[in-house]
Amino acid sequence: MNHRIARWAVYFLCLLLDVSVALGLYRGYLSGWFLLPVAAGLTILTAYDRLQRKHALLRNYPLLGRLRYLLEQIRPEMRQYFFESDTDGRPFNRRQRAVVYQRAKDVKQTVAFGALENMYEPGYEWASHTAFPTKVKPEALRVTIGNEQCEKPYDASLLNVSAMSYGALSKTAVLSLNGGAQLGNFAHNTGEGGVSPYHLQHGGHLIWQIGTGYFGCRDERGDFSPEIFAASAAAPSVKMIELKLSQGAKPGKGGVLPAAKNTPEIAAIRKVKPGTSVLSPAAHTAFSNEYEMLAFLQQLRKLSGGKPVGFKLCVGRKDEFERICIAMTNTGIYPDFITVDGAEGGTGAAPLEFTDSIGMPLYDGLALVSNTLKQYKLKQHVKILASGKIITGFDMMKVLALGADACYSARGMMLALGCIQALQCDSGSCPVGVATQDPNLYQGVNVEDKRVRVANFHRNTVSALAELMGACGFTSADKINPNAVFRRVTRTEMRSFEEIYAPDNNRSSGTVLYPGQTINN
């Protein structure tokens, strides 16, 4: 559009409106008084746009240029509700979101008229079924976490609530998640923000995550405090301790709790001074290498009274994880579990470069961790938890096939709470009250209703996994193997997960190699 024509068209319309209002007022028409503020406002706004020097678009296209900003603002909603297909949305498409909503509401969970996926497109994944299905009881799909060095092993569900802190989530969201965990007998990871009263109110099982800020167990200098940690870890609801090295959405990135969000309540929970900006550094101060980290884990195990301890990471460098395995072998200190977080994992806020371009995706990282543990004969000591876009029974089955023993879900649980994927987590304006500290928004979350929905989603998803396992002939989760899951790599070629992620896997001998590795017999 020619900017001169557009500009003079706006001038003419404003002039025409002003003249019409003036004539209406002169003749005593009531409508003139109603239109007066509209005409005056548009005229002043047009003059302001033309005279301001900050936005070239508004200067060249006064008033009309504002339409562009309006359309840009409502673009995500327009795309989600009117233009995207059932399989196009990101990070979760409409079909994925719908199955979570259906399972959370405990309503119809079937689809009609066949698959929507193009099964001949590269990337399509499927599982091979058996002619002789088995029966798997969903309630039996649990795993004991805790090796011979652990005094209080934990009987965990195969699906649990992933790490999300109070502060990132609202108090009503935390109450709902923990209430659902209590109803469904599964675990709720606190996130690195510490154990809040809302994590404890319903008595759901907790996995206490310790991050670089040591929130909830730090002294006045911000260093780890053994005494404060021991007191909080003794809570009956705390079943496991997870040391966070990195997370998939922003591995290697620290964070800042802004002073505006550091309310007296959050400050008391995190053991910091209220009204101040609090840094979460990228690295831990309690240790600086793999040997010191294992010694710190052993300290956490002792201070917690023998509860399972482990660490969470998004895999970055293969050689670093191998060094951790060598340190385990040399020291004889074994974590009870390792959580592998995929780079596709979500977060409330992260720089674009870290979200899109740092860290190893879940399947690659999980295969590397599982295969390396087996190579060093450590898998019998260490359970593996997987997290990263896991919301369906098939998602669970795929990571179990790659070596995971249990799974986390974060955004799946948020969707069960009522999340509509508005992508406003970092704005403080979550429209459904899940990821906000605005009481006008989070009070809209009905805890008694949402806790039931969280429990429903968990139960129905685990049941879906049980049905899939039965269809494929697996009687227990540890029997799921990677040669039963396939991916189409070209339009005419398929490969099993075993061929892709562990081509030299020999499950009977326990020797598993990651592509490119060698081992001397």
Side-chain angles (χ1 to χ4, degrees), residues 362-486:
L362 176 59
Y363 296 166
D364 303 276
L366 177 58
L368 187 150
V369 168
S370 178
N371 295 339
T372 306
L373 286 174
K374 290 175 181 176
Q375 177 188 347
Y376 285 92
K377 296 180 172 56
L378 295 168
K379 185 63 181 72
Q380 66 268 29
H381 303 293
V382 185
K383 294 293 191 292
I384 300 176
L385 279 66
S387 61
K389 295 189 73 173
I390 297 173
I391 61 170
T392 68
F394 187 49
D395 294 334
M396 294 179 66
M397 187 172 178
K398 287 186 289 185
V399 296
L400 292 171
L402 288 173
D405 298 285
C407 309
Y408 278 128
S409 178
R411 287 170 289 183
M413 297 294 179
M414 291 176 68
L415 290 167
L417 278 175
C419 169
I420 58 173
Q421 197 169 284
L423 307 182
Q424 296 293 315
C425 306
D426 59 346
S427 69
S429 302
C430 171
V432 295
V434 173
T436 180
Q437 298 304 311
D438 186 343
N440 295 317
L441 294 171
Y442 70 64
Q443 287 175 0
V445 178
N446 184 330
V447 174
E448 292 307 309
D449 173 60
K450 299 302 184 182
R451 67 190 289 238
V452 173
R453 293 195 182 191
V454 170
N456 287 343
F457 167 68
H458 173 272
R459 185 187 71 253
N460 287 321
T461 303
V462 173
S463 295
L465 170 65
E467 291 181 348
L468 280 175
M469 289 173 54
C472 295
F474 301 123
T475 56
S476 61
D478 59 348
K479 297 290 196 300
I480 301 174
N481 58 69
N483 59 22
V485 183
F486 291 81

Side-chain angles (χ1 to χ4, degrees), residues 292-361:
E292 292 177 358
M293 182 192 74
L294 291 176
F296 186 64
L297 283 174
Q298 187 76 327
Q299 181 186 14
L300 295 181
R301 181 185 279 141
K302 181 178 179 180
L303 291 170
S304 67
K307 294 179 179 180
V309 297
F311 63 90
K312 169 183 176 176
L313 82 165
C314 174
V315 179
R317 298 180 180 177
K318 171 186 166 185
D319 63 303
E320 285 186 341
F321 188 74
E322 285 190 335
R323 289 204 301 269
I324 293 174
C325 291
I326 292 170
M328 291 183 207
T329 302
N330 291 342
T331 63
I333 300 174
Y334 309 123
D336 298 292
F337 66 94
I338 296 173
T339 298
V340 181
D341 196 18
E344 62 269 51
T347 183
L352 177 67
E353 293 86 353
F354 279 83
T355 294
D356 288 353
S357 309
I358 298 288
M360 192 175 293

Side-chain angles (χ1 to χ4, degrees), residues 486-505:
F486 291 81
R487 178 183 298 157
R488 185 172 291 280
V489 293
T490 70
R491 291 190 64 86
T492 58
E493 183 183 3
M494 309 175 281
R495 290 185 184 174
S496 71
F497 272 25
E498 186 168 24
E499 294 174 297
I500 297 172
Y501 296 106
D504 299 315
N505 183 6

Side-chain angles (χ1 to χ4, degrees), residues 10-320:
V10 170
Y11 295 162
F12 176 76
L13 290 174
C14 286
L15 178 63
L16 185 63
L17 182 58
D18 291 340
V19 171
S20 299
V21 170
L23 288 175
L25 293 174
Y26 176 76
R27 295 177 180 178
Y29 295 150
L30 187 62
S31 60
W33 292 103
F34 288 111
L35 290 175
L36 178 60
V38 176
L42 291 177
T43 301
I44 293 172
L45 191 60
T46 300
Y48 172 80
D49 287 349
R50 179 58 183 153
L51 296 175
Q52 60 83 34
R53 296 182 177 277
K54 186 176 182 180
H55 301 287
L57 179 66
L58 294 181
R59 187 171 172 83
N60 291 332
Y61 297 90
L63 198 60
L64 284 179
R66 294 187 177 272
L67 182 61
R68 184 258 184 189
Y69 297 116
L70 173 64
L71 294 175
E72 186 180 58
Q73 186 173 358
I74 64 174
R75 178 177 177 269
E77 289 81 5
M78 296 292 289
R79 182 179 67 245
Q80 182 178 128
Y81 293 127
F82 297 106
F83 302 118
E84 73 178 30
S85 74
D86 284 351
T87 59
D88 283 343
R90 295 288 184 273
F92 295 99
N93 61 46
R94 187 176 184 85
R95 199 171 177 88
Q96 292 171 316
R97 300 194 303 269
V99 75
V100 176
Y101 297 146
Q102 290 165 356
R103 288 174 176 170
K105 296 176 182 177
D106 211 11
V107 296
K108 176 181 74 73
Q109 300 168 39
T110 56
V111 295
F113 221 61
L116 295 182
E117 297 282 353
N118 185 343
M119 299 182 182
Y120 296 94
E121 282 295 319
Y124 175 74
E125 295 172 340
W126 58 282
S128 58
H129 65 286
T130 177
F132 309 102
T134 60
K135 179 70 174 178
V136 178
K137 295 181 179 180
E139 57 271 20
L141 296 180
R142 304 187 69 84
V143 60
T144 299
I145 300 178
N147 56 41
E148 64 276 10
Q149 299 173 352
C150 173
E151 298 176 12
K152 299 177 181 178
Y154 176 58
D155 180 45
S157 169
L158 295 194
L159 179 62
N160 304 281
V161 182
S162 195
M164 295 178 284
S165 302
Y166 169 54
L169 298 187
S170 66
K171 60 182 67 177
T172 48
V174 172
L175 283 168
S176 301
L177 290 172
N178 193 257
Q182 188 272 329
L183 288 174
N185 192 23
F186 54 96
H188 176 195
N189 192 307
T190 65
E192 65 177 305
V195 181
S196 74
Y198 311 108
H199 288 103
L200 299 170
Q201 184 169 321
H202 288 294
H205 295 170
L206 295 176
I207 300 172
W208 182 11
Q209 186 180 90
I210 310 295
T212 58
Y214 306 111
F215 295 130
C217 58
R218 57 188 273 156
D219 59 23
E220 293 182 354
R221 297 177 300 176
D223 296 327
F224 175 75
S225 169
E227 296 78 16
I228 297 175
F229 170 81
S232 297
S237 295
V238 176
K239 301 299 182 182
M240 301 202 305
I241 310 297
E242 181 179 84
L243 181 67
K244 174 186 168 184
L245 301 184
S246 59
Q247 70 182 90
K250 47 182 177 181
K253 179 77 171 66
V256 177
L257 176 66
K261 288 188 175 182
N262 189 11
T263 64
E265 180 185 42
I266 291 178
I269 293 167
R270 300 194 177 196
K271 310 297 184 188
V272 297
K273 292 182 179 180
T276 61
S277 295
V278 182
L279 174 68
S280 292
H284 281 268
T285 57
F287 55 87
S288 60
N289 57 52
E290 58 271 18
Y291 287 93
E292 292 177 358
M293 182 192 74
L294 291 176
F296 186 64
L297 283 174
Q298 187 76 327
Q299 181 186 14
L300 295 181
R301 181 185 279 141
K302 181 178 179 180
L303 291 170
S304 67
K307 294 179 179 180
V309 297
F311 63 90
K312 169 183 176 176
L313 82 165
C314 174
V315 179
R317 298 180 180 177
K318 171 186 166 185
D319 63 303
E320 285 186 341

